[in-house]
Amino acid sequence: MAVDPRIEVRDNFRSIALGTMAGWIMRIWCATLRYEIVDRYGLNDPDKPRCPLVYVLWHNRLFTVPIAWRNHTKGTRKGVVLTSASHDGSALANAVKVLGIEAFRGSSSRRAIAASVGLKRALKSGSEVCLTPDGPRGPRYRLKAGAIKLAQSVEAPVIPVHVQMSGHWVLKKAWDHFMIPYPFSRVRVIFDVPMTISPDLTEEEFEAKRVELESILRTGDVPFHQEYDS
């Protein structure tokens, strides 16, 4: 029986091998970086009660954040990222696996319901979820509503994550203009003040929250690099 392409998770040897290799390259590369972590939430505060958390950052800043989060929290928190069900998503899932982070496969176009259910379960079980709300295919720097809906459904704070780089390459042919910091450069990762999402928002209030979060993500990354595309 043919598998419905809308629910199929795509994996093959090539994507698994490339992803695993990319994960090790990221580990080695990030070890050369001079990180500065700004934690405005207090992830390591022993007096802060644990609750589900949803991190959001732009897709093109993924390279440096998994290592920064893992090192900063010293392995005391479990993380889950959402990757697409495509072969590209398979590669990314295997890359973050090397970094000690679980991946859940799905996107707005494929396996959307399964992805939503799986992420809610992960949050309720004590894991923290990281989403790139302009992925998996853009538009770049346009925040889709899924991250806010997920946080709203489990009443989880949303933590905007900013990445500021002193120097980096930009992969212009990639839809997101993926950024890779120069070796031995400075990288500042900011875990920003959390945003709370009420479960009782009207449609207009929800859109206002979406616009606010998009603006926070855009302005928080600016100091080390060029302004955003219009």
Side-chain angles (χ1 to χ4, degrees):
M1 181 180 296
V3 177
D4 187 336
R6 294 172 299 177
I7 62 173
E8 179 188 7
V9 175
R10 297 175 182 172
D11 284 302
N12 59 25
F13 175 79
R14 183 173 181 271
S15 63
I16 293 171
L18 287 175
T20 302
M21 182 173 64
W24 282 104
I25 290 173
M26 289 170 67
R27 285 189 65 165
I28 295 168
W29 197 290
C30 289
T32 74
L33 302 176
R34 292 175 289 164
Y35 274 107
E36 176 191 352
I37 306 298
V38 180
D39 185 355
R40 295 171 180 162
Y41 176 78
L43 292 170
N44 294 327
D45 185 349
D47 297 324
K48 187 182 292 292
R50 288 293 180 94
C51 66
L53 296 175
V54 176
Y55 302 87
V56 291
L57 67 150
W58 297 132
H59 194 276
N60 61 10
R61 282 150 177 85
L62 272 173
F63 192 94
T64 61
V65 172
I67 292 289
W69 175 83
R70 190 193 65 178
N71 290 348
H72 179 61
T73 59
K74 301 177 176 60
T76 60
R77 295 172 178 266
K78 296 188 296 182
V80 177
V81 300
L82 177 66
T83 73
S84 72
S86 66
H87 289 132
D88 287 346
S90 172
L92 179 56
N94 283 279
V96 297
K97 183 178 180 180
V98 173
L99 308 176
I101 297 173
E102 183 182 352
F104 196 89
R105 308 287 301 282
S107 67
S108 57
S109 59
R110 300 178 66 241
R111 302 189 79 247
I113 295 176
S116 177
V117 171
L119 292 175
K120 288 177 185 177
R121 287 176 178 170
L123 286 166
K124 291 177 180 178
S125 69
S127 293
E128 298 173 355
V129 170
C130 180
L131 301 175
T132 53
D134 58 344
R137 291 292 177 185
R140 182 171 65 252
Y141 304 145
R142 171 68 174 178
L143 190 139
K144 299 171 186 173
I148 299 178
K149 289 179 179 178
L150 175 65
Q152 187 181 44
S153 69
V154 296
E155 299 185 43
V158 178
I159 298 182
V161 182
H162 313 295
V163 181
Q164 302 169 355
M165 306 178 191
S166 62
H168 62 275
W169 290 288
V170 177
L171 305 185
K172 290 289 189 179
K173 292 185 178 181
W175 70 266
D176 60 348
H177 288 186
F178 196 79
M179 296 180 178
I180 300 176
Y182 298 149
F184 307 102
S185 61
R186 292 180 297 132
V187 175
R188 181 182 298 131
V189 177
I190 302 171
F191 298 102
D192 212 339
V193 176
M195 174 185 287
T196 56
I197 312 294
S198 170
D200 302 318
L201 296 179
T202 65
E203 185 175 338
E204 292 76 15
E205 291 169 336
F206 184 92
E207 175 59 13
K209 281 289 187 181
R210 189 201 67 77
V211 171
E212 180 185 358
L213 182 56
E214 181 177 284
S215 177
I216 290 171
L217 282 178
R218 283 173 172 260
T219 57
D221 291 333
V222 167
F224 274 0
H225 58 72
Q226 296 178 354
E227 297 288 340
Y228 282 83
D229 299 339
S230 59

